[in-house]
């Protein structure tokens, strides 16, 4: 009797184990067939990486290649372009006087004063930009507080150009009504096209423009420190500055307009050459006019003495 009971219990346990095994196999098959399953095959994971939580934050197949600080690039270009052009033109003009010391002293004076002037200009421009942003934000905050419905209609008009109606963006309005600061931030950026400037922007701009101007202005003057003859120093300065202008124009265009890099280099060289040529011609013309006037005065004075 006991043997039969044990044999029956063994059959029951075996059947239960088989049933559990079959159920587990069915569950595994269902998981493989379900489209929303968390267990993805290697092929599916490679094809649809965002369905796996592990890859949600680590996968990025596209790299955004944009300037993070475009204002710094703009300030460097402004300082270098003026620093290469203005002292070069001044040095070329003073070279017509035939004295390297005049070129060096005049070039250093212009380079320092120009760097200070350009730096102050950059500081005032950045400071004015920050003040303008603060004023416009205060005005926009008052409008959001006093006329929220009108401001929402302005947002609707903005999004209508992209094919979105008010119903589509209503969840955004709900958030904005709960947080007026975000409402103002949105209006500043998308209605007025104003970004909040860096608090240190004015000082950084002044330093960047001023130092770039000093660096650019030092290049045309270097030959005059080394070569004694003024005309030889002028020709050396023309060669060195022309190569620098070409390189600067090319590199600048590579970042701004890559398709026209060569044209940008030639344009930068042409601007610097025209400025230097005009400066040299004007100073030479004035100098020759003064020399003729001095000769005429000497001749008049000599004839009057001989007359008496």
């Amino acid at each position: 009797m006991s043997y039969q009971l044990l044999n029956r219990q063994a059959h029951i346990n075996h059947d239960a184990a088989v049933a559990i095994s079959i159920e587990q196999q069915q569950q595994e098959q269902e998981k493989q067939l379900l489209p929303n399953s968390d267990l993805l095959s290697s092929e599916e994971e490679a094809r649809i990486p965002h369905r796996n939580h592990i890859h949600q934050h680590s996968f990025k197949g596209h790299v955004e290649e944009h300037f993070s600080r475009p204002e710094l690039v703009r300030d460097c270009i402004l300082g270098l372009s003026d620093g290469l052009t203005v002292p070069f033109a001044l040095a070329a003009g003073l070279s017509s006087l035939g004295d390297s010391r005049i070129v060096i002293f005049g070039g250093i004076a212009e380079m320092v004063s120009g760097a200070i002037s350009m730096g102050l200009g950059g500081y005032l421009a950045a400071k004015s930009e920050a003040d303008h942003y603060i004023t416009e934000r205060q005005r926009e905050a008052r409008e959001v507080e006093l006329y929220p419905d009108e401001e929402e209609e302005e947002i609707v008009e903005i999004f209508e150009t992209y094919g979105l109606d008010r119903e589509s963006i209503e969840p955004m309005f709900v958030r904005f009504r709960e947080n007026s600061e975000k409402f103002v931030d949105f209006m500043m950026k998308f209605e007025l096209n104003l970004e909040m400037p860096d608090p240190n922007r004015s000082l950084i701009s002044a330093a960047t423009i001023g130092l770039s101007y000093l660096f650019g202005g030092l290049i045309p003057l270097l030959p005059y420190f080394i070569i004694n003859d003024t005309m030889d120093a002028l020709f050396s300065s023309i060669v060195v500055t022309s190569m620098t202008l070409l390189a600067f124009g090319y590199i600048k265009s590579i970042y701004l307009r890559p398709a026209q890099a060569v044209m940008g280099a030639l344009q930068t060289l042409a601007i610097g050459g025209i400025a230097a040529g005009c400066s040299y011609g004007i100073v030479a013309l004035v100098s020759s006019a003064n020399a003729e006037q001095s000769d005429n005065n000497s001749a008049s004075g000599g004839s009057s003495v001989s007359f008496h």
Side-chain angles (χ1 to χ4, degrees):
M1 183 69 178
S2 61
Y3 173 77
Q4 293 178 352
L5 290 175
L6 291 174
N7 190 19
R8 182 179 298 176
Q9 185 67 33
H11 281 292
I12 294 173
N13 293 337
H14 175 72
D15 294 339
V18 172
I20 293 173
S21 177
I22 294 174
E23 184 178 358
Q24 290 177 350
Q25 292 178 0
Q26 290 177 350
Q27 290 178 355
E28 291 295 333
Q29 292 177 356
E30 289 176 357
K31 287 182 178 180
Q32 292 179 0
L33 294 176
L34 284 176
N36 294 327
S37 174
D38 293 335
L39 299 176
L40 298 175
S41 63
S42 58
E43 182 180 357
E44 287 179 326
E45 184 176 343
R47 183 171 58 87
I48 317 176
H50 63 273
R51 287 176 57 184
N52 195 325
H53 295 289
I54 298 176
H55 297 277
Q56 283 184 353
H57 301 288
S58 62
F59 179 82
K60 187 175 178 65
H62 173 62
V63 178
E64 296 285 346
E65 297 180 356
H66 300 289
F67 289 127
S68 59
R69 298 295 297 273
E71 65 275 4
L72 289 180
V73 178
R74 182 189 62 192
D75 291 343
C76 286
I77 291 174
L78 179 62
L80 281 173
S81 60
D82 282 5
L84 286 170
T85 304
V86 178
F88 177 46
L90 177 65
L94 294 179
S95 296
S96 63
L97 300 178
D99 192 344
S100 295
R101 293 177 301 175
I102 296 177
V103 178
I104 293 174
F105 295 150
I108 292 176
E110 194 284 327
M111 187 172 59
V112 174
S113 61
I116 294 174
S117 175
M118 294 286 291
L120 289 176
Y123 175 85
L124 293 176
K127 193 71 171 59
S128 300
E129 182 180 354
D131 293 339
H132 174 66
Y133 180 86
I134 293 174
T135 302
E136 290 298 326
R137 184 177 179 84
Q138 292 174 349
R139 182 181 293 112
E140 191 65 33
R142 289 195 301 268
E143 292 178 357
V144 168
E145 181 181 0
L146 298 176
Y147 312 105
D149 295 337
E150 288 79 357
E151 295 297 308
E152 290 184 3
E153 287 300 323
E154 293 178 0
I155 295 178
V156 172
E157 292 177 1
I158 293 174
F159 279 98
E160 280 180 347
T161 59
Y162 300 97
L164 299 175
D165 55 9
R166 186 182 183 90
E167 184 179 357
S168 302
I169 59 177
E170 184 62 30
M172 184 177 66
F173 288 145
V174 174
R175 295 290 185 179
F176 283 165
R177 292 170 193 138
E178 297 173 354
N179 191 339
S180 60
E181 287 296 319
K182 295 298 182 182
F183 199 163
V184 176
D185 291 340
F186 182 89
M187 299 303 292
M188 291 295 295
K189 184 173 183 178
F190 292 98
E191 182 194 15
L192 303 178
N193 295 321
L194 294 177
E195 296 278 354
M196 183 175 65
D198 187 350
N200 300 321
R201 167 77 181 121
S202 55
L203 295 176
I204 294 175
S205 179
T208 303
I209 294 177
L211 293 176
S212 298
Y213 190 94
L214 281 175
F215 179 77
L218 185 62
I219 294 175
L221 296 179
L222 284 178
Y224 295 94
F225 289 97
I226 302 172
I227 303 174
N228 292 326
D229 185 76
T230 305
M231 297 308 297
D232 291 341
L234 173 61
F235 292 140
S236 299
S237 177
I238 291 174
V239 173
V240 172
T241 308
S242 298
M243 294 176 61
T244 306
L245 286 170
L246 279 173
F248 170 69
Y250 185 81
I251 294 173
K252 177 189 69 174
S253 300
I254 282 292
Y255 283 98
L256 299 180
R257 302 183 68 182
Q260 300 183 1
V262 176
M263 182 62 65
L266 295 177
Q267 184 181 21
T268 305
L269 175 61
I271 293 173
I274 292 172
C278 292
S279 177
Y280 183 89
I282 291 173
V283 174
L285 181 63
V286 173
S287 178
S288 62
N290 289 334
E292 292 178 0
Q293 184 68 28
S294 299
D295 293 340
N296 292 333
N297 291 336
S298 298
S300 299
S303 61
S304 61
V305 172
S306 62
F307 177 78
H308 288 289

